[in-house]
Amino acid sequence: NAGVTQTPKFQVLKTGQSMTLQCAQDMNHNSMYWYRQDPGMGLRLIYYSASEGTTDKGEVPNGYNVSRLNKREFSLRLESAAPSQTSVYFCASRREEGNTEAFFGQGTRLTVV
Amino acid sequence: SQKIEQNSEALNIQEGKTATLTCNYTNYSPAYLQWYRQDPGRGPVFLLLIRENEKEKRKERLKVTFDTTLKQSLFHITASQPADSATYLCALGNYGGSQGNLIFGKGTKLSVKP
């Protein structure tokens, strides 16, 4: 049981380049999330998908887009990377919204130069 | 806006002692609170959940309390071990729509010295 799988684990981009972070979960969870984690800022929600076919903005959505490709997969796209997007990105899933636990991937460390 | 504070950025204790971590919140009435452990280079891992109508929850050496009047949760690790060294995050949540999303604190880095 792999849980939540993110790819890639590390990435270096030049300013203005684009890339897509991939996330897949094998737990048949309805809800999926993308967070960024920065020193001193904690985990901040970028986008979430409460269920297949829906996506919504979180706390810090600017500069990002998402796609809930199917129930398993939720991707995060940076169209034109900026140094301010240097961060560690985590994908998470939950069985549903509400008092259920979140399962996190191992993270993607992104550096934009 | 909602605010979550984990009082200490870092906490250093001696092996065998009880570690107590604090999570305070303002401008929010959570229906439940969760605690996670995060090791360097890894994603957070769920530890415990406590609901607003519960005062205390235990799991092995872990104990969580939830005081909705004080707007505070305490997370205790008894008989601490060096292997307990990690960053611990609290997260608040509610029910319904975007309220169901977890709001995370910045974490407390616990170091247990042998």
Side-chain angles (χ1 to χ4, degrees):
Chain A
N1 190 343
V4 178
T5 303
Q6 287 181 238
T7 55
K9 194 161 185 178
F10 299 96
Q11 184 72 48
V12 179
L13 288 179
K14 293 183 179 178
T15 298
Q17 285 186 318
S18 63
M19 78 161 295
T20 300
L21 281 65
Q22 307 287 352
C23 175
Q25 52 91 9
D26 61 3
M27 296 171 281
N28 201 35
H29 285 172
N30 289 312
S31 301
M32 297 186 74
Y33 307 82
W34 277 104
Y35 291 90
R36 61 178 289 173
Q37 188 174 40
D38 302 290
M41 300 295 290
L43 280 164
R44 292 183 292 169
L45 183 64
I46 305 171
Y47 269 94
Y48 66 101
S49 171
S51 60
E52 185 180 357
T54 69
T55 61
D56 283 289
K57 296 178 181 179
E59 181 186 355
V60 287
N62 291 345
Y64 305 96
N65 284 300
V66 290
S67 295
R68 183 77 182 264
L69 303 169
N70 46 55
K71 192 170 186 180
R72 289 188 64 247
E73 298 172 285
F74 188 40
S75 62
L76 178 72
R77 182 159 178 84
L78 286 71
E79 289 291 351
S80 179
S84 62
Q85 294 178 306
T86 294
S87 187
V88 180
Y89 292 85
F90 288 101
C91 176
S93 71
R94 297 165 81 186
R95 181 166 48 85
E96 59 192 12
E97 291 178 327
N99 63 352
T100 57
E101 66 192 89
F103 293 81
F104 285 83
Q106 76 273 29
T108 296
R109 185 172 293 275
L110 175 67
T111 302
V112 183
V113 297
Chain B
S1 61
Q2 309 106 332
K3 190 174 179 182
I4 303 173
E5 285 186 356
Q6 293 191 244
N7 284 23
S8 303
E9 281 192 20
L11 180 64
N12 300 310
I13 64 167
Q14 207 65 35
E15 183 176 8
K17 300 292 186 184
T18 296
T20 298
L21 284 65
T22 306
C23 178
N24 294 296
Y25 58 92
T26 57
N27 298 327
Y28 197 58
S29 296
Y32 56 88
L33 187 148
Q34 302 181 358
W35 283 88
Y36 290 78
R37 169 183 173 139
Q38 186 174 22
D39 292 288
R42 309 292 295 271
V45 175
F46 172 80
L47 295 174
L48 281 168
L49 178 150
I50 186 166
R51 296 178 179 82
E52 60 178 334
N53 61 347
E54 299 173 320
K55 295 292 185 187
E56 182 179 298
K57 270 280 186 71
R58 290 176 185 261
K59 180 182 176 182
E60 298 172 350
R61 294 185 295 111
L62 308 180
K63 184 178 87 170
V64 173
T65 63
F66 193 9
D67 189 326
T68 56
T69 301
L70 291 178
K71 295 184 179 291
Q72 180 181 79
S73 173
L74 298 179
F75 177 79
H76 306 272
I77 306 174
T78 58
S80 59
Q81 305 165 0
D84 296 325
S85 298
T87 296
Y88 292 86
L89 310 173
C90 68
L92 309 181
N94 232 311
Y95 299 108
S98 63
Q99 298 292 317
N101 295 331
L102 293 171
I103 304 169
F104 284 86
K106 295 177 184 179
T108 295
K109 184 175 181 180
L110 174 66
S111 296
V112 181
K113 305 295 184 187

